[in-house]
Amino acid sequence: MFSSLSEKLQDVFKKLRGKGKLTEKDIKEAMKEVKLALLEADVNYKVVKDFINTVTQKAVGEEVLESLTPAQQVIKIVYDEMVNLLGGSDTKLTFSPSGFSIYMMVGLQGSGKTTTAGKLAGLLKKQGKNPLLVACDIYRPAAIKQLEVVAQKAGVKCFANYNSKDAVKIAKEGIEFAKASRCDVTIVDTAGRLHINQELMDELVAIKNAIKPTEILLVLDAMTGQDAVNVAAAFNEQLGIDGIIMTKLDGDTRGGAALSVKAITGKPIKFAGIGEKMEDLEVFHPDRMASRILG
Ligand code: GDP
């Protein structure tokens, strides 16, 4: 993932390191190359502009240019800003202080929502929680079956009601079932659509109001690039989200979505999907991701 961006940035840094002393012109030239690399990685244009301005401002300071290791310092500034871009330190999943947490999974069809609901349940189970999955994607019977299958793989219970076409009612029943079964985490899988539409949003808002989730997690497909960022902005505006799970980061994504979405929506990536298997979900660490990109 991000291999092309990573290679390009490493080339820029290599050139800087080779120079010894740096002038303002050297830094500006390097930043031009960083800008190009980010744009080629499909990072949002405004995000790139702000990023380059901030880094340049910090890097052309006298302290950096006069220091014994100016290249190192510039690279450190880029690293710090990239960590900020990827979400800073504000990326942890929040648990309810009541001891009973509810996560509502939302996203477009095909983003990986159902798979990710199962993966998240498995991950939380490994952390000692007792999660329940609730199937509210009622329009495709196959989706309910799919959730039951991933629940089984994750070794957690799944609540479904094949007889109802009322997602709000099923969500509420699921929460009651979780409480009765002494589960401490409920993960509600909701219906997706191919595109955002009002009907979908109305249903999600109704579920949100009925179950008051601890967090709403938006599942986004990293491979869809800036479309994913637009989807995130729309969901955040119309529903309000708390965090993002970026899937398919194992593919040959250029990285633009992951690098733009926090700056555009203000909401952090909390988990990363890195494969189709149940264990392929990682807690998202902006610092580790920035290190991976910058090499
Ligand atoms: P939904 O329609 O949003 O519920 O999406 P699904 O959960 O059915 O996933 C759609 C496809 O994406 C499936 O083939 C999943 O195996 C695949 N998928 C989900 N997450 C990842 C991921 O992180 N990496 C890869 N490579 N594939 C994923």
Side-chain angles (χ1 to χ4, degrees):
M1 71 181 102
F2 304 167
S3 55
S4 164
L5 172 64
S6 195
E7 261 169 44
K8 283 181 195 140
L9 293 178
Q10 284 173 33
D11 275 352
V12 179
F13 295 155
K14 207 161 131 198
K15 265 193 244 164
L16 272 184
R17 279 202 197 95
K19 280 196 161 140
K21 216 118 187 74
L22 294 182
T23 63
E24 198 171 315
K25 188 162 161 264
D26 292 330
I27 289 180
K28 289 204 165 139
E29 259 163 32
M31 285 312 130
K32 230 185 244 168
E33 288 176 42
V34 172
K35 182 175 177 179
L36 219 76
L38 290 171
L39 288 173
E40 279 171 14
D42 195 28
V43 182
N44 174 283
Y45 180 72
K46 187 177 175 311
V47 174
V48 174
K49 223 171 104 192
D50 290 348
F51 180 87
I52 296 295
N53 282 345
T54 311
V55 172
T56 308
Q57 242 173 35
K58 290 187 179 169
V60 296
E62 256 171 46
E63 266 171 53
V64 174
L65 295 180
E66 296 301 318
S67 76
L68 289 173
T69 53
Q72 248 352 83
Q73 308 235 16
V74 173
I75 294 165
K76 171 81 169 56
I77 293 168
V78 174
Y79 169 82
D80 287 345
E81 286 311 311
M82 190 159 276
V83 173
N84 270 340
L85 203 59
L86 289 164
S89 54
D90 161 39
T91 61
K92 278 212 176 72
L93 185 70
T94 309
F95 291 101
S96 168
S98 73
F100 183 80
S101 302
I102 302 170
Y103 303 111
M104 182 171 159
M105 312 288 290
V106 301
L108 294 186
Q109 209 169 302
S111 59
K113 190 168 39 57
T114 303
T115 313
T116 305
K119 286 177 177 178
L120 181 63
L123 190 83
L124 293 174
K125 191 182 175 202
K126 273 193 201 135
Q127 293 177 4
K129 302 281 179 196
N130 182 15
L132 173 78
L133 284 163
V134 178
C136 287
D137 185 352
I138 46 175
Y139 305 104
R140 290 186 308 135
I144 305 178
K145 187 78 209 139
Q146 190 190 348
L147 193 70
E148 287 177 332
V149 170
V150 294
Q152 200 173 22
K153 283 190 193 162
V156 304
K157 286 198 211 67
C158 182
F159 179 88
N161 179 348
Y162 281 91
N163 299 320
S164 175
K165 286 277 168 228
D166 182 346
V168 174
K169 180 170 163 265
I170 299 171
K172 284 204 243 167
E173 285 173 359
I175 307 272
E176 289 314 310
F177 182 82
K179 285 182 177 160
S181 318
R182 297 188 182 282
C183 293
D184 48 11
V185 169
T186 308
I187 300 170
V188 179
D189 186 28
T190 62
R193 298 279 196 285
L194 286 176
H195 305 284
I196 291 176
N197 67 29
Q198 202 50 48
E199 200 188 339
L200 167 70
M201 283 302 164
D202 289 347
E203 177 176 302
L204 295 177
V205 168
I207 296 177
K208 173 189 175 179
N209 291 338
I211 65 173
K212 306 207 169 23
T214 317
E215 291 211 342
I216 297 181
L217 298 170
L218 172 65
V219 179
L220 284 182
D221 176 348
M223 301 294 287
T224 60
Q226 289 311 298
D227 280 345
V229 180
N230 296 335
V231 166
F235 268 85
N236 192 40
E237 210 170 277
Q238 296 181 46
L239 178 69
I241 61 171
D242 299 287
I244 289 154
I245 303 185
M246 191 66 78
T247 62
K248 309 186 196 180
L249 279 172
D250 51 306
D252 60 351
T253 167
R254 285 181 287 165
L259 283 160
S260 314
V261 77
K262 169 76 196 295
I264 298 290
T265 64
K267 299 300 157 71
I269 301 173
K270 299 201 169 190
F271 297 93
I274 49 158
E276 298 199 63
K277 291 205 282 300
M278 286 311 285
E279 59 274 22
D280 293 335
L281 184 75
E282 286 181 351
V283 174
F284 189 74
H285 296 288
D287 50 349
R288 288 187 209 167
M289 185 56 82
S291 300
R292 240 191 254 178
I293 295 171
L294 299 182

